[in-house]
Amino acid sequence: MALALTACSGSADTDSTTDDTTETTAEPVELHVFAAASMQESLDQVIEAYKAVAPEVAVVATYDSSGTLKTQIQEGADCDVFISAAPKQMNQLDAEGGEENTEGLDLVNSATRLDLLENKVTLAVPEGNPKGIESFDQLAELAGQRRCVPGHGQQRRSSGPVHPEDLHLLRSE
């Protein structure tokens, strides 16, 4: 799953200060960022760090599923930057989005799109790897062809760490 990013261009007016320096002060501006819920922890840290270099920019972050954010953008919500968890929702908003843009929407500046991140499944084992698990295939063998699925077979919204009570082992059929 890839994270895609797009932005709308905007400008902040600057005024010269009245002293003899060449320093300028920027007008306060709000930057509306819509981001996938899985990005909240990381993006909150980025926003906090950004305040130090751009104190005149108030970042207003909205986190939710990419589909919900896509709908809000489509319905006219203020959004300057959209960070989608998958290209599908970005493509649906982009005139150059190909077959996925079934509604003919043109709400994304295609020139600003970039693949920002990519999610990959990672195998994590306890410290010291006591069972010697080196691959997903080996893990499946050790589990007797059982697989883990989120809470009672329902999709779990990924907005934080997975807790053991969220996982249930089921026999493959």
Side-chain angles (χ1 to χ4, degrees), residues 42-98:
S42 299
L43 195 53
D44 282 348
Q45 292 176 18
V46 170
I47 291 168
E48 201 55 40
Y50 189 65
K51 288 178 185 177
V53 296
E56 73 283 359
V57 178
V59 178
V60 179
T62 301
Y63 301 102
D64 211 321
S65 71
S66 296
T68 297
L69 295 171
K70 176 253 177 192
T71 300
Q72 291 175 0
I73 294 166
Q74 186 175 349
E75 292 176 351
D78 286 337
C79 176
D80 299 304
V81 177
F82 178 36
I83 305 173
S84 176
K88 176 183 176 182
Q89 289 78 20
M90 189 73 68
N91 290 340
Q92 291 171 338
L93 294 170
D94 189 350
E96 296 179 21

Side-chain angles (χ1 to χ4, degrees), residues 92-112:
Q92 291 171 338
L93 294 170
D94 189 350
E96 296 179 21
E99 294 177 8
E100 290 179 317
N101 187 346
T102 58
E103 298 176 66
L105 300 174
D106 188 12
L107 301 173
V108 168
N109 180 346
S110 299
T112 65

Side-chain angles (χ1 to χ4, degrees), residues 1-6 34-36 39 66 81-91 112-118:
M1 182 182 328
L3 284 160
L5 168 102
T6 191
F34 280 28
M39 291 294 302
S66 296
V81 177
F82 178 36
I83 305 173
S84 176
K88 176 183 176 182
Q89 289 78 20
M90 189 73 68
N91 290 340
T112 65
R113 284 186 67 168
L114 65 107
D115 290 335
L116 184 63
L117 302 167
E118 181 179 58

